[in-house]
């Protein structure tokens, strides 16, 4: 998912928004499954927490990235474009289904998001990095809050 051409296509293909959402839900649910295996946690709860925090986080991350990217750095995108490019960047998180590999998938997903944001906003890599940090920070905070509200141990439902 580090294919620049793919992100340029996803940016403009409005019909891919639902698939991007499905990619988020599947990737984060599978990642939650891997975390449950690694910690001997409740499998269904971890999958649901992963999918829920992933879905909510995707919506928030996309909104924050859009606001920061367009208002602060002069990027050119709309919310649907950010939903698609960030949504598809979640795909590498599926590697998290294998216990203890969630971190690898998360790092890979961040690089994919960087490419997606850069292409979606049509601006420089340095601006994309700053936009990514702002949006991902909001996502991380929200993920922690959602998991705390659900009542899971942080690591057992970690959505990587």
């Amino acid at each position: 998912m580090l294919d620049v051409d793919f992100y340029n296509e996803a940016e403009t293909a409005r019909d891919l928004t639902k698939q991007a959402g499905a990619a988020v839900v599947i990737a984060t649910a599978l990642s939650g499954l891997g975390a449950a295996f690694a910690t001997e946690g409740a499998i269904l709860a971890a999958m649901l927490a992963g999918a829920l925090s992933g879905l909510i986080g995707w919506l928030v991350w996309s909104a924050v990235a859009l606001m920061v990217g367009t208002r602060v750095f002069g990027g050119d995108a709309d919310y649907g474009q950010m939903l698609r490019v960030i949504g598809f960047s979640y795909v590498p998180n599926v590697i998290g289904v294998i216990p203890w590999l969630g971190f690898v998938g998360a790092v890979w997903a961040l690089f994919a998001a960087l490419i997606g944001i850069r292409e979606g906003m049509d601006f420089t890599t340095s601006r994309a990095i700053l936009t990514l940090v702002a949006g991902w920070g909001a996502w991380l905070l929200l993920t922690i809050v959602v998991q705390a509200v659900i009542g899971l141990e942080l690591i057992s439902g970690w959505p990587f």
Side-chain angles (χ1 to χ4, degrees):
M1 292 304 303
L2 301 177
D3 183 358
V4 172
D5 292 333
F6 173 78
Y7 285 105
N8 282 317
E9 181 181 330
E11 173 189 3
T12 59
R14 293 182 186 273
D15 60 323
L16 293 180
T17 305
K18 288 180 184 175
Q19 286 94 333
V24 170
V25 170
I26 292 167
T28 55
L30 289 174
S31 183
L33 175 64
F37 288 149
T39 62
E40 298 181 17
I43 292 173
L44 183 58
M47 289 179 71
L48 289 174
L52 178 63
S53 63
L55 190 59
I56 294 169
W58 169 55
L59 298 172
V60 170
W61 184 358
S62 298
V64 172
L66 178 65
M67 286 188 287
V68 170
T70 57
R71 294 182 182 170
V72 177
F73 298 118
D76 181 28
D78 62 33
Y79 188 53
Q81 290 170 328
M82 284 296 95
L83 284 171
R84 289 186 293 277
V85 297
I86 291 175
F88 285 115
S89 75
Y90 272 70
V91 171
N93 286 309
V94 299
I95 198 170
V97 75
I98 302 169
W100 307 109
L101 287 183
F103 180 75
V104 173
V107 170
W108 185 357
L110 283 174
F111 278 107
L114 174 64
I115 292 169
I117 290 169
R118 184 189 67 203
E119 297 306 309
M121 289 285 180
D122 300 315
F123 57 35
T124 65
T125 300
S126 60
R127 289 180 177 189
I129 290 169
L130 295 171
T131 302
L132 175 115
V133 168
W136 186 79
W139 167 88
L140 181 62
L141 179 63
L142 183 66
T143 297
I144 291 169
V145 169
V146 167
Q147 290 178 353
V149 168
I150 291 173
L152 294 176
E153 295 175 30
L154 183 61
I155 195 70
S156 71
W158 198 249
F160 296 148

